[in-house]
Amino acid sequence: ETAPAFLSVWDMHAYYGESYIVQGIDFNVHEGEILALLGRNGAGKTTTLRALARLDDPQVTHGEIWLDHQPLHQMKAHEAATKGGLGLVPEDRRIISGLTVEENLKLAQIAPPVGWSLERLYELFPRLGERRKQDGVTLSGGEQQMLAIARALARDIKVLLLDEPYEGLAPVIVDEIEKTLHTVKAQGMTTILVEQNAVRALQLADRAVILDTGAIVFDGSAAEVLGDEQLRAEYLAI
Ligand code: ATP
């Protein structure tokens, strides 16, 4: 028998009310890799991330989620985020208004165990260091995305879950965030990256899982997807 993967999802099904969205998916994520979770609009990517993070919606009716030998499927969102070690960066970023950049980060470090230090976070995102006294909501979109990622890393997490981090950002800012995600990976972090910008995501990722109407239609290397014109056209429209 082989060792279980770092993160394993087994036969997960998820609903929003009566709507059956995630229709029994299995996938693994290996420690230290970047997995791109791709698929068309409405394929179920965000729903999958929310299900992993154990948020109240969607309702996960079946399946198991194991992270580093811990049964996440038995945890509520708060426990999954703390003890479980999931760091979800939602699409809307959720920067807290009235708090400076530094206060946003310190708030994430209020309860131990603490993840990356402020010093290390500012080294990763020098722009955040320069703006540490600025109200978080007055940052540009790209800077807010950086703050949302930094805030996740400020906690002691095992997996970073990114929901469309490149959305609405200029290509040069995407370059900058891509570079930092590469650095974060080099320091051992495991990442699941949901992105509409599939080409950019595949260039960064080690592996890819492609969803189509809540089912997995591809699980393999990112390079394989980039090289498969039919797969790209059929499921990613690229
Ligand atoms: P996108 O890139 O458009 O966000 P996605 O792959 O992330 O696509 P999901 O957001 O997971 O897709 O949505 C999957 C399906 O679930 C869609 O049909 C969507 O309309 C539906 N859905 C999402 N959120 C809810 C909700 N809160 N209540 C009911 N249905 C929902």
Side-chain angles (χ1 to χ4, degrees):
E1 198 180 324
T2 55
F6 190 57
L7 175 66
S8 281
V9 177
W10 294 342
D11 200 23
M12 186 170 78
H13 299 249
Y15 288 77
Y16 286 113
E18 305 272 288
S19 306
Y20 184 30
I21 309 293
V22 173
Q23 308 189 350
I25 61 172
D26 302 87
F27 66 95
N28 290 327
V29 188
H30 307 299
E31 190 168 13
E33 79 176 350
I34 299 177
L35 177 83
L37 183 59
L38 305 174
R40 282 188 288 243
N41 283 324
K45 306 178 296 293
T46 297
T47 306
T48 299
L49 287 190
R50 292 179 60 88
L52 293 179
R54 310 295 300 131
L55 299 178
D56 288 338
D57 281 310
Q59 300 81 48
V60 176
T61 57
H62 192 87
E64 296 186 10
I65 308 159
W66 292 86
L67 174 56
D68 199 12
H69 309 282
Q70 296 186 91
L72 292 185
H73 54 280
Q74 291 171 2
M75 297 182 189
K76 298 267 192 210
H78 178 73
E79 196 186 3
T82 53
K83 181 171 167 237
L86 288 182
L88 175 64
V89 180
E91 204 172 343
D92 61 8
R93 297 160 193 158
R94 307 268 169 91
I95 305 304
I96 299 170
S97 72
L99 295 188
T100 64
V101 166
E102 189 144 305
E103 287 165 347
N104 266 279
L105 295 174
K106 280 187 168 163
L107 192 61
Q109 295 181 326
I110 240 169
V114 167
W116 289 33
S117 66
L118 290 177
E119 195 184 22
R120 199 170 157 208
L121 291 168
Y122 292 150
E123 200 176 307
L124 182 69
F125 293 115
R127 281 162 175 265
L128 294 183
E130 290 158 18
R131 291 166 175 76
R132 67 181 79 191
K133 301 255 188 289
Q134 194 173 323
D135 190 313
V137 294
T138 66
L139 297 174
S140 71
E143 290 159 359
Q144 286 196 25
Q145 186 62 51
M146 293 173 195
L147 179 55
I149 295 170
R151 195 177 48 185
L153 295 171
R155 296 192 296 104
D156 184 29
I157 60 167
K158 295 178 178 182
V159 181
L160 187 59
L161 305 174
L162 299 175
D163 198 357
E164 307 215 12
Y166 302 158
E167 195 189 14
L169 304 183
V172 307
I173 306 295
V174 173
D175 289 342
E176 208 173 315
I177 291 176
E178 189 173 60
K179 211 172 107 214
T180 59
L181 294 178
H182 205 269
T183 304
V184 169
K185 172 188 154 75
Q187 302 199 23
M189 184 57 65
T190 307
T191 300
I192 301 181
L193 172 62
V194 164
E195 244 317 311
Q196 278 302 326
N197 193 337
V199 174
R200 300 284 305 230
L202 288 164
Q203 284 165 350
L204 179 66
D206 302 287
R207 287 196 311 118
V209 163
I210 302 178
L211 285 174
D212 189 45
T213 54
I216 292 176
V217 292
F218 175 87
D219 182 337
S221 80
E224 192 180 336
V225 182
L226 282 171
D228 187 333
E229 234 171 88
Q230 197 187 332
L231 193 65
R232 286 167 36 187
E234 188 167 359
Y235 297 113
L236 305 175
I238 55 173

